Amino acid sequence: MKVVFVAALLVVLASAKPQSEPEVAIPILKSESIKNDDGSYKFSYESADGIIRSETGEQKQVTPEDTGSTAQGTISWKAPNGKTVTMTFTADENGYQPKVTVE
């Protein structure tokens, strides 16, 4: 009897679950990607929902014995309140350093 009750309860809960909206693909309006033999790169894209992203990176001599990667970039998007959020960042031997502005 308990098994039937639990099974019936699961069916009720599953049918009461809110149905999510189907996912819609967001078109990419612009896209560029360059990878160089020396390890440097550059990419950018802009999507139809207003996201704009760009990044550059390269290999860097950190110490006489070690190399590492550095990157700089920007991403911006419209927040639900209509303001534009922009994050710029640098990632290097000093760590990840983001800066965010809202306008």
Side-chain angles (χ1 to χ4, degrees):
M1 182 70 172
K2 288 181 182 178
V3 173
V4 172
F5 176 74
V6 170
L9 181 60
L10 289 175
V11 168
V12 169
L13 289 175
S15 64
K17 177 184 162 205
Q19 301 299 313
S20 61
E21 294 182 25
E23 291 186 24
V24 176
I26 306 298
I28 301 298
L29 305 176
K30 297 178 188 175
S31 178
E32 176 185 28
S33 180
I34 300 169
K35 296 178 186 177
N36 299 309
D37 292 338
D38 64 358
S40 62
Y41 66 91
K42 175 181 176 180
F43 74 83
S44 63
Y45 63 84
E46 182 177 347
S47 60
D49 61 355
I51 296 173
I52 301 171
R53 172 96 161 88
S54 65
E55 181 174 321
T56 60
E58 62 186 7
Q59 299 299 303
K60 178 179 179 181
Q61 195 73 36
V62 180
T63 67
E65 301 84 27
D66 296 319
T67 59
S69 298
T70 65
Q72 305 81 37
T74 303
I75 183 169
S76 65
W77 66 92
K78 288 281 189 191
N81 64 4
K83 295 189 177 201
T84 299
V85 179
T86 301
M87 182 183 75
T88 58
F89 70 89
T90 299
D92 57 18
E93 68 273 13
N94 298 311
Y96 180 70
Q97 304 146 48
K99 293 180 182 170
V100 178
T101 59
V102 180
E103 298 177 347

